[in-house]
Amino acid sequence: YDDAAIFSGGLIAVKRNLKWGYINSLNEIKIPFKFDKACVFEKDRAVVYSDNKVGIINYKGEFILKPTYLTLLPL
């Protein structure tokens, strides 16, 4: 992996080939590598960035809030 975040909530955000996804402690891919940036899970949710927009996903990788709001933060 090219980068990784802190292990939280049973998953860790990792970067591979310029995209972020989530793996578990057994190195199994749980959420595919499809995000520009992925943050740690807090209270069963994680913030993700896609196409300069911010969204929120659950543990299944389903969007709770689709990436609709533009972010001005550098990724």
Side-chain angles (χ1 to χ4, degrees), residues 35-39 47-51 53-55 71 73 75:
F35 305 109
D36 297 329
K37 177 67 179 159
C39 300
V47 173
V48 294
Y49 296 86
S50 183
D51 297 324
K53 296 177 183 176
V54 62
T71 178
L73 300 174
L75 298 179

Side-chain angles (χ1 to χ4, degrees):
Y1 300 109
D2 304 320
D3 201 354
I6 298 170
F7 187 76
S8 174
L11 297 177
I12 183 170
V14 291
K15 183 179 181 182
R16 182 174 70 184
N17 298 327
L18 302 176
K19 292 293 181 180
W20 287 81
Y22 292 87
I23 61 171
N24 64 12
S25 61
L26 300 175
N27 200 32
E28 299 169 323
I29 298 170
K30 292 299 179 179
I31 299 174
F33 295 87
K34 59 183 178 180
F35 305 109
D36 297 329
K37 177 67 179 159
C39 300
V40 298
F41 272 90
E42 294 184 31
K43 297 183 181 178
D44 302 332
R45 298 175 181 179
V47 173
V48 294
Y49 296 86
S50 183
D51 297 324
N52 289 326
K53 296 177 183 176
V54 62
I56 299 173
I57 60 170
N58 63 18
Y59 277 120
K60 295 179 182 179
E62 301 166 331
F63 282 104
I64 296 167
L65 174 65
K66 291 185 180 183
T68 53
Y69 299 100
L70 290 176
T71 178
L72 300 177
L73 300 174
L75 298 179

